[in-house]
Every structure is written in C-alpha cells, then in structure tokens.
Amino acid sequence: MSTPVNDRHPMTGNEMSGEAAGGMERHTYDVVVVGAGGAGLRAAIAAHEAGARTALVCKSLLGKAHTVMAEGGIAAAMANRWPEDNWEVHFRDTMRGGKMLNNWRMAQLHAQEAPERVMELEDWGALFDRTDDGLISQRDFGGHKYARLAHVGDRTGLEMIRTLQQRAVSLGIDVFMECTVTEILLDEGAGGAVAGAFAYWRETGRFVLFETPSVILATGGIGKSFKVTSNSWEYTGDGHALAMRSGASLINMEFVQFHPTGMVWPPSVKGLLVTESVRGDGGILKNSEGERFMFDYIPEYFKSETADTVEEADRWYEDKANNRRPPELLPRDEVARAINSEIKAGRGTPHGGIYLDIASRRSREFIRKRLPSMYHQFKELADVDITAEPMEIGPTCHYVMGGVEVDADTQESSVTGLYAVGECSGGMHGSNRLGGNSLGDLLVFGKRAGEAATAYVNALRASGRDVVVDERDVKAAEQSALAPFEVEGGENPYTIQSDLQQSMNDLVGIIRTAPELERSLSEIEAFKVRAASMKVEGHRQYNPGWHLALDLRNMLIVSECIAKAALAREESRGGHTRDDFPGPDEEWATKNLVVNLNAEGTGVDLYEKPLPVMPDELQKYFEPATAEPPAESKEGK
Amino acid sequence: MGYDLKMRIWRGDQSGGALGDYTVEVSEGEVVLDALHRVQASQAGDLAIRWNCKAGKCGSCSAEINGRPRLLCMTRLSDFEEGETVTVTPLRAFPVIRDLVTDVSFNYEKARELPSFAPPPRDADGKRRMAQVDVERGQEFRKCIECFLCQNVCHVVRDHEENKPAFAGPRFFLRYAELDMHPLDTHDRRELAQGAAGLGMCNITKCCTEVCPEGIKITDNAIIPMKERVVDRKYDPLVWLGNKIGLRNKDIDGRT
C-alpha cells in the first residue's frame, strides 16, 4: 500500500523533519506565496522566473482554488473584435464602474498590461475561443464599452488556473498543498519586517515553519461570512486577517459585490454563480409579470450610454456603433439592486428570484456552444433546460472589493516584505468591480508582486542584512493553533459559523441601514465571546472541525471590518447601499475608509483617508461627474 | 418533502477503518455532499471530506457512492429511493488519508513527468492565430476538472498497485492528446506517451469515459487517436522502411 505519511513529502522532495509529535518542519525560501488561485500562481511564476527560491502554499489541492469558478472571461483591451478598443477606454470603464473610488494607478496598470498577460497564457498552452480570423475571441460584459473578455466558452477560470498550474509545475516550483498558513511572523529587530510564515499540514496536523523575508498573500475573498454566496469553504478572509494581525491596513471593506445572478433553487445550490455571460450573450431579466424591468432602473450616471427601448437594446448585439447597450449589461451593483427591488415589490418568482431568460432569444445550438457549463449546471442540479425555459436567479455574495491596502506598482503593504494580490488586495476596483476585471487583476498584479518581492529580497541580501524569526512567536503560534483542543465543554464551530453567516446576510447584506449595522456589530462581539471557547472533537489529522475553528477567527475579524466600514460610509455607492442614505454623496466621493487592528488586537479601528489624486492627463477621460439621483422606489407602480 | 436518509460512511485512516451508520435529515433538491455536510456539522465534526466549489467545476469531492465513482456535489439524492441506504467510501485506487480523503499525489507526480507545451514564436504582430475548429479538439480535453475519477476507475491501476510507476492513466493520456493535437505545439509526444506513460497498457474498456463527470470522450477522442498515431509511427512497414533508408516521413500534419 502506501508509504507511511511521515516519509512522504508531497511534491517538494524536501527533507521532512519533526518526526516526533510536536516536531517542527522548517523550510527556507526567498518568497512564500499564500494561496494558489490565479493571483498566487502568477505571483509564484513571476518570482521563480525572477530567480527567487519560491514556495506556493495552498489550503486545497493544487488547481482547485476558486479561480476555477470564474466563468465569463478575462477583460483585456486586445482590440481583436473592436479596433476602437484600447487601454484608455478600458481604464475609463473600470473607473466609472467603480464609481471613481478606484486607485487610479492600479486601474491604469491593469488596463495597460492585461492584454500581454492574456497573450502569455496562450504562450503557456491556453486554448481560448477564436474570432473568424483566428485571434482570441472577446465577448461582451456588463460595464465594458466594447466586447473585450477573452474566454473559453463559459469556463475561462478553469482554463486560466490549469494553464498557470501547468506552467508552475513545469518550472518545478515547490508546492505545499493542503497546508494552511495561520500566522505571518515579523522581525521586530528589523523594524517589524516579514521574517516567516507559520502553517499546519491539513493531512497530519503537524506544523511547518517557513523562514522567508517576503510573503505574498493571494488568499481570495470573504464570501463564507455570508449565507448566500458563490464562494467555496476556503473564502474565509485569511489574507485579510493575516495582514491585519501583522499590522497592515485594509481599505474599502464596506464594498461587497453581490452578483446579480446566483441560482435560487434547489436550496442546496442557492447562491451558486450564474455567469454574466448569459446576459452578455443576449439573456434578459424578467419579473413574474413577464416585464423586462431593467429599463425602469437606468441610473442618470449611465443614461447616455444605455438603451431605453427594447428595440434599441436588441439591435445593439449586432450593431454596437449605432445603438446603446441593453440595461441588463449595466454594472453589477445596479443590476443586483434592481433585482432586489423587484423581488421586494412582490414581483419575484415562486422560489424568490427573478427570471433570466436566454431560451426565448437564442437558438439551442448557440446556447449549448456558448454556455456549456451553465447548461450542464442547471440540467444536473435543478432539472432546468436553459435552452427551453428561463432560469430563476437572485443576488449572491460574490466578491469583496476591499482588501489589503497596497502600493499600486509593487503590491507591497505597509509591512515591509508583505504583499497582497488579487481579491485580498484592495483599491483596484473602487466601490464595484466590473465582470472580467478580476481575472485580469490576478494576472497583472500577481506578476508585479512576484517581481517586486524578488527585488526586495535581492536588495536585502545584497545589503548583508537578514531577518530572523523569533522562536517565542513560533511557540505562540503553535499554542494559538492548538487552543481549540484544550477547551472543555465549548461550542461547536459549525454552529457559530452558521449563525455568523445568517447574521451577516440579514444585517450587512445588499441593502443596509444604521440600526441593522449597529446590531450586527454587537452580534459580532457576541460571536467573538462564543468563538473564544470553541471545542473541537477528534485529533489533529485531517480534521475539518479544527480547520474551521481556526478559519472562523479570520472570518470574525473581517466581518467586523465590513460592518464597521458600512456603518461609517453614510451614502450609497457601488457595492454599498444604505437605505437611510440612498444616493451618492459628493463628500464621500474623495475618501476611502481604512481599517486596522486596534492596539489590544481585540477589534477594529477605522479612519478616513483621501483618495490619491488622478493626474490631469488621465482626468481628461471623464466628463464632470454628475451625481446620481437615488433610484426611484417602484412600490407604487 | 424532508425525510431521514440512512447513510453508511467509511471512517478510518491508513491503519484501517469501517463503515459507520448515520441517519440525517435531508430535503428536496439536495445532493450527497449536503447530507455529508449535515453529518459533519451535527454528528461528526471531524469527518474528513475534500470539497470546494460544490458545482461540479473543481473536481475536489470525488468518492465512491454505492460503489460507483462520482462527485459528491453532483449526485442528487433524488437518484436514490427514499428508503435506500447511501453508502459513501473513499476512492479505492489511492491510499486513504482519513475517512473520505485519499492521497492523490500519484496524479500530481504523473503531471510533472509530462513535457510542457512548446510553442513556436508569436506572429510578427505579437499575436497568435488558430482556427476555432482546430482548438476545439483540445478544448474538449481541457474541460477536464482533474477529479481523478477516471484514474480511480481504470483497472490498470485500480487493482494493480505495481502498474503505477509505468502508467500515467487516462487523465494524462488526455493531456498527451491535447498537446499532440494542439495547433501550435512543436513537440512530438507519441513515443513518450507509448513508452513512459504506458499508453499501450490501456485496453480500451472505456471505464474512464463512463465515469467522466464532464462527459469527455476520453477513449474515443483521446486514447484511440493517440494509439493510432503511435501505431502509424511504429508499426507501419512502409514508414519503418522509409525511416531505415533515410526518407523523411510526414504525418498528416506535415510533421516528421
């Protein structure tokens, strides 16, 4: 049968130590990347190619990260379909989609560099769909002026992660699979710079210490804090929390994207993503009265570029030059709010959603060809044939715009040697992310962080300085990880998680108000007390209950950040809607909210910070911003 | 609507284990993974399961349900009678770590043995051109979610541990075929597939195709064409003679 666990080191061939109970495995690297989704893989590849000894550490098996669920495509102004498209247009779309709250420099770099990052994937073996003249095909998506999403049917994320995974494997990068980082270790003697990372193997429960001067966080988002989400179990805000505990700050945490279209039935798949490609390829939204309601929800801000008649909207798919975009392709925040209002007004479907209809608008062949995964998903899980009947959908927690505050060019946080990329970094998407901009974000900033981290390590080595892990910190990390086993008669972590998800969904969901946010903050305090005495049954070997107990600490701190920032921002903008402050407020248009762990490490401090000012040569792409009137209530309709 | 489902779940580790009996309340539209999660949350907090996307897209939650290799998240409870006991066991071809979690590192080791994609330089304008019809063959194989159900069910390794070193398995024959049929790949991988990967050991029982949750026609579209390509190269007497006397032989794609 198999060799004993103790001798085997999956993938790396590294010498194992720590045979005895309580032993510690140690590794030395230049760069340790935490998370192996698109951003983590791209960062590891970049660091390796820049000459760094690189380790990739991930909670799941390699190639299972949530990037696999991304469906629509990678936004990049390659101009394969529309010669008029260029980085400036993409930049403008990104900023307007984020309601001008984005870090302009990140949005600029992303728009400029995404096309080359997509071409690299093709160099590494990706097989994108093609245009008639053999170039990479690009599809329409919400908020993008031109069709610019490079895609493979509706399984682009799988193609991307597999391509990067195969690249990383062929380069021989060391991968630590099913290994969870619980602490970043700092060297106080070197001004609090990164010195290492502490982790446990899920398989054995044994501890691993990475001694490394640089850590790149690429841990994804926070969706598991909400009950209805498209996210997997891994999305517990680990990178957000690790960064905070190291002294870095988070930015824009009030902005959580609820994707307009998640499945609503059967209950077991509630929240599962239905790709925006359905609308990009001609699908429309209807209420229970059969009305195509999105025409009633076109905000002033997007009026000039959105069709206001069914006829014009339908002509747009064939003739983009002379028609404006259908309102179904407004940015996600607008569509999610509209769907929410329709359901609230009693015009929802039997299962509490809204109809998404492509069956009556496109041929069976077209749908099966363009949306194979969606066809399969509905057929297998809901007994619905999307080529014959409409889908029922509703909003689902999908993405967090907020994340670690980083330098736009290098992705370094305020902690020396600590970087953050992808969903766990903040700023790039402002208050709302456009579909397709996430996959591009992963590639562009993954590469930049890998290179910046390597440069930092090289400079550090050249200066003859070094960082050292304090063994007392290692001991403390060990004790903290084992604490749930010490508890007598505490509570089951599954119960606390489920209560937290319900609370966040009810009180910090799509539509928020001050009293509910205040209540959520006091509930989070109560969860913290309950979590302090969580009990885990069984032993350390592959014990999901224990893993959840550790992840839950991160979920709680991140949930507090979201609720606190949401309470402070007294306006509605992008992924943050306040019922008590329904419109955007000019005064808030120039500020980000930043959160830190407080001095005692028990809660969250919050302060305002002015947005970085955009230089004039970029400012010219935006006409004077017009404030949006609040979306009209349709109750009396 | 809701009813009590009887489940038998294998609990144990590499030193051994047994089926445990569980009864759990389930409701309409649920899948086996939902039932297992409920067992985990209410009766067995340390029940080890691998899962991620819960949408049949990541291939993490592979196991054997009533003896059949399937994804836990895509197996609906409505496939079973209400009184029926659903038995869940770990993949049999791989060593158990704990409960339903197996050590699938065999697959990751095989992945490392494959020479990676080797493209020619880009076109003069920095782009690459391929026809949709040409990429579609490879795209079918790239739908693979690496759930390893095909690796698990393949009898070449399922009951023959000793074959593992010489046999890459269907998932990687897909990879060889994908690269060999890639419009831009410049390697010839046929020798390698036959030699190092053990393509010749496959005797086309089509079990892999049968369990593939993505519906990839592994045997018909990848393995058999690869076998034919190998045979063309190796056993065609004219080609053999041509090679002997130094005539270049080209295949259908103009490759030697």
Side-chain angles (χ1 to χ4, degrees), chain B residues 84-98:
Chain B
E84 199 177 342
T85 301
V86 175
T87 305
V88 189
T89 50
L91 297 176
R92 204 178 80 192
F94 306 115
V96 165
I97 291 172
R98 189 174 177 201

Side-chain angles (χ1 to χ4, degrees), chain B residues 32-92:
Chain B
V32 173
L33 187 57
D34 292 312
L36 288 169
H37 277 159
R38 204 159 295 134
V39 169
Q40 206 180 39
S42 58
Q43 303 170 43
D46 59 347
L47 169 63
I49 313 170
R50 255 196 203 111
W51 70 283
N52 274 334
C53 76
K54 210 169 168 295
K57 291 190 172 66
C58 75
S60 299
C61 63
S62 306
E64 301 193 2
I65 302 171
N66 291 355
R68 196 182 165 77
R70 300 180 73 167
L71 294 178
L72 298 170
C73 73
M74 295 301 279
T75 305
R76 296 176 65 176
L77 294 173
S78 55
D79 292 359
F80 309 97
E81 301 295 324
E82 276 197 20
E84 199 177 342
T85 301
V86 175
T87 305
V88 189
T89 50
L91 297 176
R92 204 178 80 192

Side-chain angles (χ1 to χ4, degrees), chain B residues 16 54 70 73 92 97 119 139 143 153-154 165 167 172 184 190-191 198 214:
Chain B
K54 210 169 168 295
R70 300 180 73 167
C73 73
R92 204 178 80 192
I97 291 172
Q139 280 182 340
K143 283 197 308 193
V153 81
C154 179
F167 188 73
F172 297 99
L184 298 179
R190 289 170 291 186
E191 292 285 340
E214 286 293 300

Side-chain angles (χ1 to χ4, degrees), chain A residues 237-545:
Chain A
D238 299 6
H240 292 76
L242 287 168
M244 284 182 91
R245 287 202 292 268
S246 314
S249 46
L250 307 186
I251 189 170
N252 289 347
M253 288 306 288
E254 64 275 36
F255 298 113
V256 176
Q257 179 167 84
F258 290 84
H259 194 290
T261 61
M263 289 176 83
V264 294
W265 201 93
S268 95
V269 295
K270 197 173 165 75
L272 198 61
L273 190 65
V274 178
T275 175
E276 192 168 331
S277 315
V278 177
R279 282 169 288 136
D281 286 345
I284 54 168
L285 296 163
K286 290 181 186 165
N287 61 22
S288 59
E289 294 158 14
E291 183 201 2
R292 191 171 166 182
F293 58 84
M294 278 307 297
F295 290 100
D296 304 330
Y297 292 94
I298 304 170
E300 199 56 45
Y301 194 72
F302 293 107
K303 267 222 160 59
S304 62
E305 59 218 69
T306 311
D308 49 13
T309 65
V310 170
E311 294 69 28
E312 183 182 5
D314 283 349
R315 284 197 305 267
W316 174 86
Y317 294 100
E318 300 310 319
D319 177 8
K320 294 187 174 57
N322 301 308
N323 296 288
R324 292 170 299 171
R325 316 166 52 78
E328 280 85 4
L329 290 177
L330 282 163
R332 288 175 175 173
D333 52 331
E334 309 291 353
V335 182
R337 269 194 298 272
I339 290 173
N340 205 53
S341 303
E342 286 292 310
I343 296 170
K344 268 203 163 142
R347 292 187 289 272
T349 68
H351 294 117
I354 278 292
Y355 291 114
L356 170 61
D357 173 26
I358 192 166
S360 69
R361 298 173 49 85
R362 295 287 181 266
S363 75
R364 185 180 166 80
E365 291 64 45
F366 177 91
I367 297 169
R368 299 258 344 229
K369 172 100 200 65
R370 297 278 289 193
L371 303 163
S373 299
M374 285 305 105
Y375 176 81
H376 181 249
Q377 185 171 309
F378 274 88
K379 193 98 198 109
E380 294 290 319
L381 294 172
D383 274 334
V384 168
D385 177 354
I386 66 168
T387 65
E389 53 191 310
M391 295 160 249
E392 285 184 60
I393 53 88
T396 177
C397 176
H398 181 57
Y399 187 90
V400 63
M401 272 64 77
V404 183
E405 190 181 18
V406 291
D407 173 81
D409 289 74
T410 63
Q411 302 288 290
E412 189 172 24
S413 70
S414 57
V415 177
T416 306
L418 185 65
Y419 300 76
V421 284
E423 192 172 353
C424 76
S425 71
M428 152 79 197
H429 303 289
S431 68
N432 173 54
R433 176 176 70 80
L434 292 184
N437 269 3
S438 180
L439 292 185
D441 169 16
L442 309 182
L443 296 170
V444 167
F445 295 108
K447 176 170 188 283
R448 284 184 157 267
E451 287 168 356
T454 308
Y456 159 70
V457 174
N458 290 342
L460 183 77
R461 303 254 193 262
S463 71
R465 286 173 298 137
D466 204 2
V467 285
V468 189
V469 169
D470 184 337
E471 292 302 324
R472 284 167 308 184
D473 291 345
V474 179
K475 263 279 161 281
E478 240 181 294
Q479 280 162 349
S480 161
L482 291 175
F485 287 112
E486 313 293 315
V487 177
E488 290 294 321
E491 213 180 337
N492 175 348
Y494 294 97
T495 315
I496 303 177
Q497 184 192 34
S498 153
D499 292 352
L500 169 72
Q501 290 168 336
Q502 192 67 56
S503 164
M504 289 297 285
N505 229 68
D506 294 346
L507 306 174
V508 199
I510 297 191
I511 310 292
R512 303 160 172 174
T513 62
E516 287 185 342
L517 291 166
E518 278 155 5
R519 211 178 98 206
S520 110
L521 282 166
S522 64
E523 287 191 9
I524 290 170
E525 287 309 314
F527 288 130
K528 281 188 198 170
V529 174
R530 288 166 64 185
S533 62
M534 273 182 293
K535 177 171 159 295
V536 175
E537 54 185 298
H539 53 71
R540 281 164 66 177
Q541 196 192 4
Y542 216 112
N543 185 338

Side-chain angles (χ1 to χ4, degrees), chain A residues 137-167:
Chain A
S137 166
Q138 301 191 266
R139 70 152 38 114
D140 279 301
F141 239 56
H144 291 282
K145 183 165 184 190
Y146 298 108
R148 68 162 72 99
L149 267 73
H151 65 100
V152 184
D154 55 359
R155 55 163 194 85
T156 314
L158 172 66
E159 187 71 14
M160 184 164 131
I161 201 163
R162 201 63 81 228
T163 303
L164 293 168
Q165 171 189 349
Q166 283 158 355
R167 176 73 181 169

Side-chain angles (χ1 to χ4, degrees), chain B residues 187-204:
Chain B
H187 269 253
D188 181 347
R189 300 166 194 276
R190 289 170 291 186
E191 292 285 340
L192 211 73
Q194 182 71 0
L199 180 67
M201 293 163 90
C202 160
N203 52 11
I204 316 191

